[in-house]
Amino acid sequence: MTTPALVAFDLDDTLAPSKGAIDPRIASLLRALLRSVEVAIISGGNETQFRTQVIAQLGDADAADLARLHLLPTCGTRYLRHDGVEFAPVYAHDLSDEQKAAALTALREEAERLGLWESEPWGEILEDRGSQITFSALGQRAPRDAKHDWDPSGAKRASLRDAVAARLPGLEVRSGGSTSIDITQEGIDKAFGMRELAERTGIPLTSMLFYGDRLDEGGNDYPVLAMGVPSVAVEGWEDTADKLDALLKTL
């Protein structure tokens, strides 16, 4: 493709270790990228994670560069832009109290029924992210090795997703990260966030370039590839960094 007008990224296991801050090398590469093109980050993570994992690590990036950074937490159900002083919300598609209650109940009951409710998790298993309810099988602070070992085939997540989806016909239920299930308004996934991004920036999807670690069919990055956005598969933030080194030479 020609030089992209916007480069977009998944966050966990693409730009950063799961729930961890971006490495100084990634921060430097993002600052360099922002000097040339628009940059977007879209993830199932909540707004707080974006602020701690990314924004707090960008250091000396100036307001002009930050104005080119588009942040889409919870799969694009929220959208943050820099207003010259700080990152402020452009929109938020929050779930209703009734939808949240139904989602939380279905997740717990089906996880218990399937034997997937952890009795001694690392932190909370269920999280209300406003526009998204998230189930983290081992808890929000589970170590990476434990998370990667929990469901390498994806079968556990698939069985829980199917069981919960059957109880919530008006909501979107999908596998998220290596141990998570995400629930949002119906029809919302990363493709939704990318369409919002295209509409609000005026940049066509075909002029974007997306990096993600779950571009396999069924992965939570796959909707971006399926909608026609040129995409690059990566295996961890180090691989992303190497590929960004190569990309920056072409810009």
Side-chain angles (χ1 to χ4, degrees):
M1 64 176 291
T2 57
T3 300
L6 182 148
V7 181
F9 302 91
D10 169 50
L11 179 53
D12 284 349
D13 296 321
T14 295
L15 285 179
S18 181
K19 301 278 176 49
I22 59 173
D23 186 86
R25 181 184 174 197
I26 287 288
S28 177
L29 287 165
L30 287 177
R31 288 193 295 268
L33 201 57
L34 285 164
R35 290 192 285 270
S36 298
V37 296
E38 303 286 310
V39 175
I41 302 173
I42 182 168
S43 168
N46 63 24
E47 183 176 326
T48 299
Q49 288 173 237
F50 273 64
R51 292 186 181 278
T52 58
Q53 289 179 259
V54 180
I55 296 172
Q57 313 305 320
L58 290 178
D60 59 357
D62 61 30
D65 290 343
L66 293 176
R68 289 189 286 274
L69 180 58
H70 308 258
L71 301 178
L72 296 102
T74 51
C75 294
T77 56
R78 291 174 179 261
Y79 181 28
L80 307 176
R81 292 292 306 275
H82 199 266
D83 61 9
V85 178
E86 63 178 358
F87 280 90
V90 176
Y91 68 69
H93 298 297
D94 286 344
L95 295 163
S96 69
D97 290 342
E98 293 78 10
Q99 289 172 323
K100 291 177 183 179
L104 290 166
T105 298
L107 282 167
R108 173 142 197 165
E109 290 181 354
E110 294 303 323
E112 289 177 339
R113 183 180 66 82
L114 292 167
L116 300 177
W117 187 266
E118 177 61 45
S119 60
E120 297 182 0
W122 288 273
E124 296 296 324
I125 292 175
L126 296 174
E127 183 184 4
D128 177 355
R129 297 179 176 178
S131 52
Q132 178 175 292
I133 298 296
T134 293
F135 167 90
S136 297
L138 302 180
Q140 293 292 327
R141 300 189 300 276
R144 291 182 69 193
D145 289 347
K147 291 170 68 172
H148 289 159
D149 291 343
W150 181 73
D151 185 27
S153 72
K156 292 178 182 178
R157 279 168 292 157
S159 64
L160 181 57
R161 192 217 74 82
D162 291 348
V164 171
R167 293 180 52 169
L168 303 172
L171 297 176
E172 191 80 24
V173 184
R174 63 186 174 278
S175 297
S178 54
T179 64
S180 64
I181 300 292
D182 295 328
I183 299 176
T184 62
Q185 298 279 5
E186 190 172 21
I188 291 180
D189 55 17
K190 287 185 179 177
F192 167 87
M194 295 299 286
R195 281 192 294 269
E196 286 279 354
L197 191 60
E199 181 177 339
R200 291 171 183 273
T201 62
I203 298 172
L205 294 170
T206 52
S207 296
M208 299 180 182
L209 181 63
F210 177 77
Y211 290 76
D213 71 305
R214 294 287 311 283
L215 287 165
D216 53 294
E217 190 167 357
N220 64 349
D221 295 323
Y222 180 75
V224 181
L225 175 65
M227 72 189 302
V229 178
S231 300
V232 178
V234 298
E235 298 180 0
W237 71 264
E238 299 93 339
D239 186 27
T240 302
D242 290 342
K243 288 173 176 172
L244 283 181
D245 279 333
L247 175 67
L248 282 165
K249 293 175 183 177
T250 70
L251 300 180

